Amino acid sequence: MDSLAQSLLASLDGLAADGRFRIRRDVERRLAGGVRVHVDGADLLAFCSNDYLGLADHPRVVEAFVTAARTWGVGSGASHLVSGHCREHRLLEEELAAFTGRARALLFSTGYMANLAVVTTLLGRGDRVFEDRLNHASLLDGGLASGARFSRFPHADVGTLAARLGRAGPARAMVVTDGVFSMDGDVAPLRELAAACRTHGAWLFVDDAHGLGVLGATGRGSVEAAGLGAGDVPILMGTLGKAFGTFGAFVAGSHELVETLLQTARTYVYTTALPPAVAAATRAALRVAQDEPWRRERVLHHVARFRHEATNFGLRLPDSATPIQPVVVGSEAAAVAGSDALRALGLWVPAIRPPTVPAGSSRLRITFSAAHEPADVDRLVEALAALAVSAPEAHAS
Ligand SMILES: Cc1ncc(COP(=O)(O)O)c(C=O)c1O
């Protein structure tokens, strides 16, 4: 074994010793909106997809994808600024801008790239960036890569944030938060964050990867649910691979914001454009999401049913009213054991461990979809009850 392999093996052994070694499972078949899957020779009921509205295999979305692939081919062939930007991209950007109530939107190939783009393009040395400590890794990486002075504030603690903003002086400042926290499911205190930003002249950037399509009276996300608009949240990021069931992401905001990202964001300029067929499929998904509001209502009903039944049998759950329902069990080993035991009962619920979540808060991360049946929710609750899965006091609400 060469010295590189030897050194890597030692690190990999360290991961395994810490209970943090991860494995991928090959999904052999995916049925019924992705909630019924065949994996490692077994049929499983899955509670681990972010396809909250069950749109990934919706006939209108699939048809739009196939028709566009026949018209445009599979790949876009070049970056947006060379020749990869097609009519489908332009129309989707216009429709996303209208949907989010912003002047313009700009497509990115992934949410990770969109988040890096926003923070590293708009901030640099001499600026300040304030991030919730539970923000998604891509937001934290953007903050670190930007060169701005980086400050992580305690989760949802607007008082501490406001005090730090007050001490920040005249530097340009951006406050960055998940709209819905991806591993906890709770919603950021957006009204309070917006007020603090207004008082201290900071820019508020909300990553609504998990809120868009699901929250708010019309599915426009956590910003709509908070009764806020573009004036309060000048920078909004949304992903397309979650409630819209496709792939990619966008940033929405003013003409000036979008033009700046388009001209200078390295993760926009130096990468191949999203396939036009993905843009076409997303346009269809955006229409279905609006034509079929029952999908949003259904997934939220599943959440309410789960919380009611789980609480009845004594499971303590953190405060989340979104399709992300974590059951915090503490150690890495407990999370893996819980996930394995559920899989033995035919249920797929992933174990989430550090560094994705803080040490000591490993968890089973349950996600619901409109593609689930009410009976699926009951089956999950019964399994959790049978296994006596329990959360340590510190993490229960
Ligand atoms: C809050 C949040 N932001 C950004 C991303 C990254 O989006 P993408 O998967 O499109 O890269 C994710 C998850 O993937 C997420 O949960």
Side-chain angles (χ1 to χ4, degrees):
M1 194 185 296
D2 63 35
S3 77
L4 170 64
Q6 258 171 11
S7 149
L8 297 179
L9 186 59
S11 310
L12 291 169
D13 286 346
L15 281 180
D18 292 342
R20 296 182 183 183
F21 195 82
R22 309 189 201 199
I23 55 164
R24 301 178 299 179
R25 296 188 188 281
D26 282 4
V27 178
E28 287 144 28
R29 273 197 315 280
R30 184 180 273 157
L31 303 164
V35 303
R36 270 158 246 287
V37 291
H38 194 73
V39 186
D40 295 341
D43 288 321
L44 298 179
L45 174 60
F47 292 92
C48 43
S49 156
N50 300 318
D51 179 14
Y52 301 124
L53 302 180
L55 295 183
D57 67 349
H58 191 289
R60 279 167 62 189
V61 177
V62 173
E63 186 53 37
F65 183 80
V66 170
T67 305
R70 290 215 175 87
T71 307
W72 297 97
V74 173
S76 61
S79 65
H80 283 278
L81 291 178
V82 176
S83 60
H85 191 68
C86 304
R87 180 174 170 274
E88 292 293 345
H89 297 119
R90 175 176 58 79
L91 292 171
L92 176 58
E93 286 181 345
E94 289 170 6
E95 288 159 11
L96 287 168
F99 182 71
T100 57
R102 323 260 148 171
R104 285 178 70 182
L106 185 70
L107 286 175
F108 282 83
S109 295
T110 70
Y112 200 108
M113 293 161 80
N115 282 342
L116 279 189
V118 168
V119 189
T120 61
T121 305
L122 303 185
L123 298 179
R125 288 171 71 83
D127 299 329
R128 312 261 331 226
V129 59
F130 299 86
E131 301 219 18
D132 189 292
R133 67 182 284 272
L134 296 188
N135 274 355
H136 188 261
S138 54
L139 295 170
L140 299 172
D141 289 355
L144 290 169
S146 70
R149 213 163 133 200
F150 184 66
S151 164
R152 286 171 91 175
F153 57 91
H155 179 50
D157 183 347
V158 184
T160 299
L161 168 68
R164 290 188 194 169
L165 282 170
R167 290 196 296 271
R172 293 198 307 181
M174 183 188 287
V175 173
V176 182
T177 186
D178 282 20
V180 174
F181 288 88
S182 54
M183 295 300 135
D184 293 78
D186 59 328
V187 178
L190 292 181
R191 294 179 70 84
E192 294 78 4
L193 288 170
C197 287
R198 212 174 299 121
T199 305
H200 297 285
W203 304 326
L204 181 55
F205 168 27
V206 175
D207 166 347
D208 208 19
H210 297 276
L212 218 65
V214 177
L215 300 184
T218 62
R220 282 161 170 78
S222 61
V223 176
E224 179 188 27
L228 300 175
D232 311 288
V233 181
I235 313 163
L236 176 69
M237 192 285 278
T239 54
L240 308 175
K242 298 184 169 62
F244 297 120
T246 61
F247 186 79
F250 69 95
V251 175
S254 65
H255 169 76
E256 293 76 11
L257 170 71
V258 165
E259 199 57 39
T260 300
L261 295 174
L262 188 161
Q263 297 293 333
T264 59
R266 296 171 71 82
T267 58
Y268 183 77
V269 175
Y270 299 109
T271 198
T272 300
L274 202 68
V278 172
T282 309
R283 294 183 61 212
L286 193 56
R287 283 193 295 273
V288 176
Q290 291 168 89
D291 292 349
E292 300 182 4
W294 62 263
R295 291 178 176 274
R296 197 172 66 248
E297 288 153 20
R298 182 172 160 99
V299 69
L300 293 176
H301 273 138
H302 291 336
V303 170
R305 186 183 187 98
F306 170 74
R307 290 187 68 84
H308 178 73
E309 291 183 8
T311 311
N312 270 354
F313 89 73
L315 185 68
R316 296 186 302 272
L317 295 171
D319 201 8
S320 161
T322 70
I324 302 168
Q325 294 291 320
V327 178
V328 180
V329 293
S331 70
E332 287 91 336
V336 172
S339 179
D340 286 349
L342 287 168
R343 201 168 53 259
L345 295 174
L347 304 171
W348 190 4
V349 178
I352 307 290
R353 292 163 280 170
T356 308
V357 293
S361 73
S362 291
R363 64 200 61 193
L364 298 165
R365 179 178 182 267
I366 296 161
T367 51
F368 291 104
S369 165
H372 285 120
E373 299 294 330
D376 297 337
V377 179
D378 300 346
R379 196 175 145 198
L380 173 66
V381 175
E382 278 158 26
L384 290 168
L387 296 173
V389 170
S390 64
E393 282 298 339
H395 294 287
S397 61

